[in-house]
Amino acid sequence: MLKLFDYLEEVIATERISQLKNPPLLYTASEIMHELGYEDPHMLQEPLDRAMHACASLQIPVNYNFRKIYCFKDGGEMETDWQLSELATYLFMINCNPLNPLVAKAQLIFMMKDRV
């Protein structure tokens, strides 16, 4: 039977994460999507929204973990992208489509990371 105190360490870790101000923004959403084999930039919106909602639900400041940026493409077109903290990158990855084998593998790696 699952007991509440089994997750006490995770709850404490979440509290520490929520108090971290201005974590480094290491990745962009478009880079992650490219690594996962997605070419359509519109495919990032749903997992990005879900990741932001997860942060908000956990009362972790969204603006500390997600920063909207603007980039110029080769044709001179301006494109919106997002810089992500490590936490935001994790939340973004686990909210991508698991039917993509690379996403499913990343989700498994994240899940197994601290278990082995």
Side-chain angles (χ1 to χ4, degrees), residues 5-21 55 58-61 65 87 90-91 114-115:
F5 59 83
D6 289 341
Y7 290 99
L8 184 57
E9 288 182 30
E10 286 86 352
V11 169
I12 292 169
T14 301
E15 287 301 313
R16 274 188 249 130
I17 289 170
S18 69
Q19 294 168 4
L20 183 63
K21 294 185 189 299
C55 261
L58 293 167
Q59 297 181 349
I60 298 172
N65 293 283
L87 173 65
Y90 169 75
L91 293 171
D114 295 326
R115 307 262 190 265

Side-chain angles (χ1 to χ4, degrees), residues 4-5 8 11-12 18 25 30 32-33 58-60 66 82 90 93 103-105 108 113:
L4 182 60
F5 59 83
L8 184 57
V11 169
I12 292 169
S18 69
L25 301 174
S30 63
I32 294 166
M33 293 300 277
L58 293 167
Q59 297 181 349
I60 298 172
F66 300 85
W82 291 86
Y90 169 75
M93 287 286 295
V103 171
K105 184 176 181 179
L108 179 63
K113 183 179 174 185

Side-chain angles (χ1 to χ4, degrees), residues 2 4 9 11-12 20 23 28 31 35 39 46 60 70:
L2 183 64
L4 182 60
E9 288 182 30
V11 169
I12 292 169
L20 183 63
T28 64
E31 290 172 333
E35 290 295 319
E39 297 303 321
E46 184 177 355
I60 298 172
Y70 300 93

Side-chain angles (χ1 to χ4, degrees), residues 59-109:
Q59 297 181 349
I60 298 172
V62 173
N63 61 329
Y64 290 167
N65 293 283
F66 300 85
R67 180 176 297 139
K68 192 177 202 175
I69 60 172
Y70 300 93
C71 308
F72 286 102
K73 292 176 73 174
D74 292 334
E77 253 181 81
M78 192 183 311
E79 187 175 88
T80 302
D81 202 349
W82 291 86
Q83 288 181 318
L84 309 174
S85 69
E86 188 175 0
L87 173 65
T89 300
Y90 169 75
L91 293 171
F92 181 72
M93 287 286 295
I94 65 169
N95 281 292
C96 284
N97 186 349
L99 295 176
N100 176 331
L102 294 173
V103 171
K105 184 176 181 179
Q107 290 173 344
L108 179 63
I109 289 168

